[in-house]
Amino acid sequence: MSNPSSPSPKRAKMNLAESSQLENFQGANSKKVVYPAPTLEQFDLKQYLDEYSSNAKIKRAIYMAEHCTSLAVECYKIAFSELRSKTLDTKLYEEVWKRLRQLGVDIEKDTEWAEQTRNESSRKCNDLRSEVAKFAQGGQKTDALKTQQELARLLVQMGRGDEAIRAWQDTREYCINIHDQAQLSVEAAKINQSVCRWMQVSSFTQRAVQTLAKSVSEKMQSNIDVLQLQASVGDGRWAAAVGSLRTLKYDNVSSCDMFTSGAVAPQDIALYGALAGLAALKRDSIKTDLINNVEFGKYLDHMPECARLLRCFYASRYSECLERLDKLLSLAALDPVLGPHVGQLRTTICENIVVLYTQPFVSSNLASMAQALRFDSTADLEELLVKLIERRLISARIDGTSGYLVKYTANPRDTALETIDRMYRSL
């Protein structure tokens, strides 16, 4: 389908050295596909990234740099500055510095800070481990728990995610109630969320829910709901994502750790909900579950373009809808959660639009339809229609001679005979 603003992937590799630490921030399922810069009106990279803080901002900046050549330098610079001022992750700091140098940016590395931070962090880790052992040996479970949690948070700051997860899991033996046990599962899920390991996110959140049964606090439930939404979107499970969206109360979510820590922004919920809804919901459900949903509307206020897209879809303004969709997908392509799925998303949403477009008509001119739905050619439209007919999503045939899509219509005589036959069998 034609769309100059569409983020059609160009499989070109950036001439940059590979790095395991950077790959962690790019996301476990991401592929090296390079996209153009977002085409949303008034898109401002700095303003967009400022919606996030700490590790989330760094993760997104690096993901965008790896998948958009035109934004690479600016994104790496933002990540480089954040790493120096907000984290203790000296390894990633040095790797981002190398990427900037490879891109021809002459930027100074704070070697003294890196060395000092590395030494102090390592020393503090060892001290905390010694304190945990001392408290555990003395039977001081509460102190051991607090110190072990401090160690886990320190490891996150140092960029040692896998060690941090193990540290949180080690707190289990010091937990004195089920709320502490559930909290360690949520914290492990958050770390996995930061590197896009969606199966592990789902596993840890489910473990937290099972641990607490019906005694989950609102704050913890909101964290779990947001994590489960991201896991569903990250796995491309659009119906499950919409189901998770229904549980998100704006006031509760806006005060939960995932939001206050800057790991997730309201604009994310709007984007995930709009695209997942268009992929999974029927037209009427989009109105009731998304457009008229008061709670979801509060998220849409943070990203009005998503609201406009949904209204265009519901109003059957499909050409405008596809144009707006491509602009939003140009941003989604650079989102570490949605990025790996933009191709599948566009295909699914376009199929839904084609099916809806054909419903009111007994026959449709293929050339006019291809133009209205922004296809590159009539042949491309015919190819998609054949697939939809084979999957029985459209009951019609393509008349190659006249250039029309013609629906199958039931013969009144056959319909009457079938009705009589059913009545006879029911007697």
Side-chain angles (χ1 to χ4, degrees):
M1 300 180 87
S2 80
N3 33 100
S5 58
S6 171
S8 301
K10 298 178 180 178
R11 298 196 172 273
K13 294 184 178 180
M14 296 180 70
N15 186 24
L16 300 171
E18 295 297 329
S19 163
S20 59
Q21 183 81 342
L22 282 168
E23 285 170 357
N24 283 339
F25 273 77
Q26 293 162 23
N29 300 317
S30 69
K31 297 179 180 179
K32 276 295 189 67
V33 182
V34 179
Y35 296 96
T39 55
L40 280 174
E41 288 88 350
Q42 300 178 337
F43 174 77
D44 181 273
L45 177 64
K46 186 177 183 303
Q47 184 179 351
Y48 171 77
L49 289 175
D50 281 345
E51 292 289 323
Y52 310 91
S53 63
S54 188
N55 288 339
K57 185 174 182 178
I58 294 165
K59 176 189 73 172
R60 285 179 176 273
I62 290 175
Y63 188 92
M64 295 178 83
E66 291 293 315
H67 293 82
C68 181
T69 309
S70 61
L71 296 178
V73 171
E74 189 176 356
C75 286
Y76 277 134
K77 282 183 176 180
I78 291 172
F80 188 67
S81 174
E82 289 288 316
L83 283 162
R84 168 65 177 80
S85 61
K86 303 285 180 63
T87 79
L88 305 175
D89 194 346
T90 57
K91 182 179 179 183
L92 187 58
Y93 174 78
E94 291 180 354
E95 289 174 355
V96 170
W97 175 77
K98 290 177 184 177
R99 291 291 175 102
L100 284 167
R101 297 283 291 181
Q102 290 164 352
L103 289 169
V105 179
D106 186 13
I107 191 168
E108 185 178 352
K109 178 178 65 172
D110 192 338
T111 307
E112 182 180 349
W113 169 83
E115 186 66 24
Q116 182 180 349
T117 300
R118 188 182 301 111
N119 293 337
E120 288 180 357
S121 299
S122 297
R123 184 169 59 252
K124 189 171 183 180
C125 272
N126 293 332
D127 290 344
L128 289 172
R129 288 191 173 100
S130 298
E131 288 182 30
V132 170
K134 181 182 70 175
F135 289 136
Q137 193 173 18
Q140 299 170 272
K141 279 196 168 186
T142 302
D143 292 330
L145 175 63
K146 290 179 179 178
T147 308
Q148 184 71 20
Q149 290 173 340
E150 186 181 351
L151 172 62
R153 293 188 180 99
L154 175 62
L155 289 167
V156 170
Q157 280 288 297
M158 294 171 67
R160 291 155 65 172
D162 290 335
E163 289 183 59
I165 292 173
R166 288 194 293 272
W168 274 111
Q169 290 174 319
D170 288 343
T171 64
R172 186 177 297 277
E173 59 183 293
Y174 312 122
C175 291
I176 57 178
N177 56 56
I178 59 172
H179 292 280
D180 291 337
Q181 293 177 16
Q183 186 62 42
L184 75 86
S185 295
V186 172
E187 294 298 334
K190 288 179 184 178
I191 298 170
N192 280 293
Q193 176 265 353
S194 70
V195 289
C196 301
R197 295 174 183 165
W198 305 119
M199 185 179 296
Q200 289 90 330
V201 172
S202 296
S203 175
F204 279 115
T205 53
Q206 288 169 9
R207 191 178 303 173
V209 172
Q210 291 167 0
T211 301
L212 288 175
K214 295 182 179 180
S215 59
V216 186
S217 66
E218 281 189 354
K219 183 176 180 181
M220 183 176 290
Q221 186 63 58
S222 294
N223 280 319
I224 291 171
D225 290 341
V226 172
L227 286 164
Q228 288 179 335
L229 169 63
Q230 282 200 304
S232 298
V233 174
D235 278 338
R237 295 182 287 114
W238 311 122
V242 173
S244 297
L245 190 70
R246 294 189 182 104
T247 66
L248 296 182
K249 303 298 182 184
Y250 185 85
D251 291 338
N252 293 342
V253 170
S254 60
S255 60
C256 78
D257 295 341
M258 292 295 292
F259 267 48
T260 57
S261 66
V264 179
Q267 64 192 21
D268 296 332
I269 307 298
L271 185 61
Y272 300 160
L275 294 179
L278 289 175
L281 295 177
K282 296 185 181 297
R283 183 169 172 272
D284 289 341
S285 296
I286 284 176
K287 183 176 184 180
T288 56
D289 292 356
L290 300 179
I291 296 174
N292 290 347
N293 185 323
V294 175
E295 290 295 325
F296 185 61
K298 295 175 183 178
Y299 298 107
L300 290 175
D301 289 342
H302 292 269
M303 202 165 191
E305 188 59 31
C306 290
R308 298 186 191 106
L309 171 66
L310 293 171
R311 286 196 292 269
C312 282
F313 182 90
Y314 184 75
S316 303
R317 300 197 304 270
Y318 295 128
S319 182
E320 181 185 353
C321 176
L322 287 166
E323 183 179 0
R324 292 186 181 280
L325 173 66
D326 288 329
K327 290 181 178 180
L328 276 174
L329 287 178
S330 72
L331 176 62
L334 302 180
D335 179 290
V337 184
L338 280 167
H341 305 292
V342 287
Q344 176 205 357
L345 263 173
R346 193 179 198 284
T347 298
T348 302
I349 294 171
C350 286
E351 287 179 352
N352 293 343
I353 287 175
V354 170
V355 171
L356 287 171
Y357 184 93
T358 64
Q359 284 180 352
F361 307 111
V362 174
S363 63
S364 305
N365 182 280
L366 294 177
S368 299
M369 187 175 173
Q371 184 178 5
L373 298 182
R374 298 167 58 83
F375 278 82
D376 289 329
S377 66
T378 305
D380 289 341
L381 172 61
E382 287 186 23
E383 183 179 347
L384 177 58
L385 288 171
V386 168
K387 293 178 182 177
L388 295 175
I389 291 169
E390 289 175 348
R391 288 158 54 191
R392 299 187 178 181
L393 295 174
I394 295 177
S395 179
R397 63 181 177 83
I398 298 174
D399 188 332
T401 304
S402 64
Y404 274 78
L405 176 75
V406 182
K407 279 189 177 179
Y408 290 117
T409 55
N411 187 304
R413 181 175 177 277
D414 292 339
T415 303
L417 288 173
E418 287 176 7
T419 303
I420 293 170
D421 184 58
R422 283 197 300 270
M423 293 173 61
Y424 174 78
R425 290 176 183 277
S426 66
L427 295 176

